[in-house]
């Protein structure tokens, strides 16, 4: 039996290497998600009711269907009330508006792609920001890009919502020790170099900004080229800035302590030979972007992150409920 296979888990959910094998450890998302799942269960107990999440499916994409079924199952396991609404593309906008106005619905998500491109971004903005569990509303993304942590900066009662997949990546890097807890909060990635292969508006670009805001040097790679995200010199600037760079993937990989991939293609494989010895490698794509030989190079490898993403999605849902309670209590004083 392959000692590195995921079926050979030990109790910590990591895979124990054979004594003479590569020192690489494969870390499963379920292990990293565990404390957050507990936090969610505790949060539900305090709340004393089952929050309702509605998911809209309006496409035939098998990946979206699978994710919808699987996220529904996870919600129910933890104790959230999940309802999948399968609707036709042409009535989706009205269906979102109905859910926005329905007091029984606490959170909403739309499984993408629906139409693809700009029309999907429009639909995402139709969704009320007060029910946006994925954190993709313009205000939340703008707060992320500007490193603004609260919706009410004066009173600091309502935390802004972070996009759940970028946030899941951050929690994974915290777990893996890439964040240095000895450094002050907000600067814990200082000195780290991270490559992110994906610059979509829903994951790669906000992720690069979030990591740069925490002090990292980030190379953001997409099919059009490579950009460098930093927070500028030392700790003077409060938010990231971006520059085009004239470096190859091989060159940025050689500089990188961490490589994060999110290419939605079966064929795509990150070239193993580019990876620095002992790098930390994380894949958030639903396809495997690293070859199995990754274990000869990486120190830590996270093959998929979905379970952590869902935990962050539900954490966002509790935060939305809390923010609403804060707003209501203000109007009743
Ligand atoms: N695990 C999770 O929680 C989540 C996983 N996903 C998965 O992540 C993947 C990406 O999703 P999206 O960002 O929405 O996709 P997208 O299609 O919007 O973006 C793909 C990105 O990859 C880049 N790319 C494609 N081919 C490349 C190549 N050969 N070299 C370098 N860059 C390349 C593109 O330029 C683009 O920036 C999908 O597989 C999706 O299912 C998405 C959301 C959550
Ligand atoms: N608004 C929106 N947000 C999304 O996040 C979104 C979407 N639409 N449309 C569809 C894609 C697909 N997607 C996946 C997430 C995790 C895994 C993943 O990590 N899956 C685990 C399986 C986990 C299990 O089954 O236990 C794995 O591959 O190992 C896969 C696919 C998110 N999507």
């Amino acid at each position: 039996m392959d000692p590195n296979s995921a079926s050979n888990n030990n109790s910590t959910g990591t895979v124990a290497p054979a004594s003479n094998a590569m020192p690489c450890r494969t870390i499963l998302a379920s292990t990293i998600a565990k404390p957050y799942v507990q936090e969610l269960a505790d949060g539900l107990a305090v709340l004393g009711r089952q929050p309702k999440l509605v998911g809209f499916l309006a496409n035939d994409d098998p990946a979206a269907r699978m994710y919808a079924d699987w996220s529904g199952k996870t919600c129910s396991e933890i104790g959230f009330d999940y309802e999948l609404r399968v609707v036709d593309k042409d009535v989706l906008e009205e269906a979102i508006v109905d859910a926005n106005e329905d007091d029984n619905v606490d959170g909403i998500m739309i499984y993408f792609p629906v139409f693809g491109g700009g029309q999907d971004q429009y639909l995402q903005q139709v969704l009320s920001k007060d029910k946006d569990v994925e954190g993709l509303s313009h205000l939340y993304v703008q707060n992320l890009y500007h490193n603004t942590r609260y919706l009410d900066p004066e009173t600091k009662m309502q935390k802004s919502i972070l996009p759940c997949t970028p946030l899941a990546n951050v929690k994974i890097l915290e777990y893996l020790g890439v964040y240095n807890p000895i450094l002050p909060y907000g600067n814990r990635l200082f000195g780290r170099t991270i490559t992110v292969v994906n610059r979509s508006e829903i994951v790669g670009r906000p992720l690069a900004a979030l990591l740069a805001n925490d002090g990292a040097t980030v190379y953001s790679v997409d099919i059009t080229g490579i950009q460098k995200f930093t927070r500028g010199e030392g700790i003077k600037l409060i938010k990231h800035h971006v520059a085009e760079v004239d470096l190859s993937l091989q060159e940025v990989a050689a500089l990188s302590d961490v490589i994060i991939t999110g290419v939605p293609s079966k064929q795509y494989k990150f070239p193993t030979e580019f990876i620095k010895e002992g790098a930390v490698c994380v894949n958030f794509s639903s396809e495997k972007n690293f070859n199995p030989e990754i274990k000869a190079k990486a120190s830590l490898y996270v093959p998929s992150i979905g379970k952590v993403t869902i935990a962050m999605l539900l954490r966002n849902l509790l935060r939305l409920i809390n923010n609403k309670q804060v707003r209501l209590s203000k109007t009743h004083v």
Side-chain angles (χ1 to χ4, degrees), residues 183-201:
L183 290 171
Y185 181 75
N187 208 32
R188 292 182 168 172
L189 290 177
F190 188 56
R192 306 280 193 219
T193 300
I194 302 175
T195 290
V196 179
V197 190
N198 174 310
R199 204 186 304 125
S200 70
E201 294 305 315

Side-chain angles (χ1 to χ4, degrees), residues 53 65 74 86 88 92 113 116 125 127-128 132 146 171 196 198 224 226 253 255-256 258 277 287-288 291 297 301 325:
L53 173 63
R65 177 88 219 192
T74 309
V86 180
D88 196 88
L92 178 58
Q125 304 307 320
L127 204 165
S128 164
D132 174 16
H146 290 254
K171 295 299 175 186
V196 179
N198 174 310
T224 67
I226 303 183
L255 296 169
S256 296
V258 180
E277 263 321 271
E287 305 295 343
K288 296 261 174 286
N291 281 315
K297 275 292 189 76
Y301 170 48
Q325 283 170 348

Side-chain angles (χ1 to χ4, degrees), residues 18-323:
S19 55
N20 60 347
M22 309 307 171
C24 177
R25 295 186 76 174
T26 301
I27 314 286
L28 302 178
S30 52
T31 307
I32 305 171
K34 214 170 251 171
Y36 297 105
V37 169
Q38 186 57 51
E39 191 186 291
L40 289 167
D42 296 345
L44 285 188
V46 172
L47 191 65
R49 69 178 179 91
Q50 272 201 317
K52 185 178 181 95
L53 173 63
V54 169
F56 282 107
L57 185 65
N59 66 21
D60 310 317
D61 181 352
R65 177 88 219 192
M66 218 187 72
Y67 183 56
D69 290 342
W70 172 61
S71 50
K73 189 170 149 271
T74 309
C75 284
S76 321
E77 276 166 15
I78 303 176
F80 287 80
D81 178 10
Y82 177 87
E83 185 187 327
L84 181 65
R85 297 187 182 168
V86 180
V87 300
D88 196 88
K89 282 183 175 53
D90 300 325
V91 297
L92 178 58
E93 183 174 356
E94 286 168 80
I96 296 166
V97 172
D98 287 345
N100 280 346
E101 291 169 355
D102 183 348
D103 283 339
N104 294 315
V105 176
D106 297 290
I108 309 171
M109 69 175 294
I110 309 157
Y111 295 97
F112 291 113
V114 177
F115 295 98
Q119 208 170 343
D120 284 4
Q121 282 176 28
Y122 168 74
L123 286 171
Q124 182 64 48
Q125 304 307 320
V126 169
L127 204 165
S128 164
K129 72 169 178 30
D130 299 332
K131 297 190 178 183
D132 174 16
V133 290
E134 286 205 295
L136 295 171
S137 290
H138 184 72
L139 175 70
Y140 300 140
V141 179
Q142 186 179 28
N143 282 345
L144 180 157
Y145 286 134
H146 290 254
N147 210 4
T148 301
R149 305 292 169 112
Y150 292 91
L151 298 177
D152 50 353
E154 314 78 38
T155 43
K156 294 191 166 64
M157 299 278 282
Q158 298 176 64
K159 277 194 168 175
S160 192
I161 304 293
L162 285 165
C164 60
T165 311
L167 181 59
N169 277 286
V170 163
K171 295 299 175 186
I172 286 166
L173 298 187
E174 278 179 0
Y175 180 94
L176 300 177
V178 174
Y179 276 74
N180 185 340
I182 297 170
L183 290 171
Y185 181 75
N187 208 32
R188 292 182 168 172
L189 290 177
F190 188 56
R192 306 280 193 219
T193 300
I194 302 175
T195 290
V196 179
V197 190
N198 174 310
R199 204 186 304 125
S200 70
E201 294 305 315
I202 64 165
V203 195
R205 208 160 79 86
L207 174 60
L210 205 51
L211 299 174
N213 282 339
D214 282 335
T217 297
V218 183
Y219 292 106
S220 171
V221 180
D222 84 348
I223 34 176
T224 67
I226 303 183
Q227 294 178 345
K228 183 179 177 177
F229 287 58
T230 56
R231 209 186 37 206
E233 288 300 307
I235 53 171
K236 274 186 292 192
L237 294 175
I238 57 157
K239 72 178 185 77
H240 75 284
H241 68 177
V242 184
E244 294 291 334
V245 292
D246 195 17
L247 294 169
S248 66
L249 181 66
Q250 184 160 14
E251 286 167 322
V252 299
L255 296 169
S256 296
D257 310 300
V258 180
I259 294 179
I260 301 175
T261 56
V263 177
S265 149
K266 260 195 178 33
Q267 286 76 36
Y268 179 85
K269 299 291 170 193
F270 192 94
T272 310
E273 64 276 16
F274 289 2
I275 301 170
K276 190 166 88 169
E277 263 321 271
V280 168
C281 295
V282 178
N283 172 55
F284 69 76
S285 172
S286 44
E287 305 295 343
K288 296 261 174 286
N289 288 171
F290 292 108
N291 281 315
E293 300 83 66
I294 179 74
K295 288 174 190 150
K297 275 292 189 76
S299 55
L300 299 169
Y301 170 48
V302 181
S304 71
I305 74 158
K307 289 210 158 64
V308 183
T309 307
I310 302 214
M312 293 306 124
L313 188 106
L314 297 176
R315 195 169 181 258
N316 281 347
L317 178 52
L318 292 185
R319 188 158 287 176
L320 289 168
I321 292 171
N322 178 71
N323 288 350

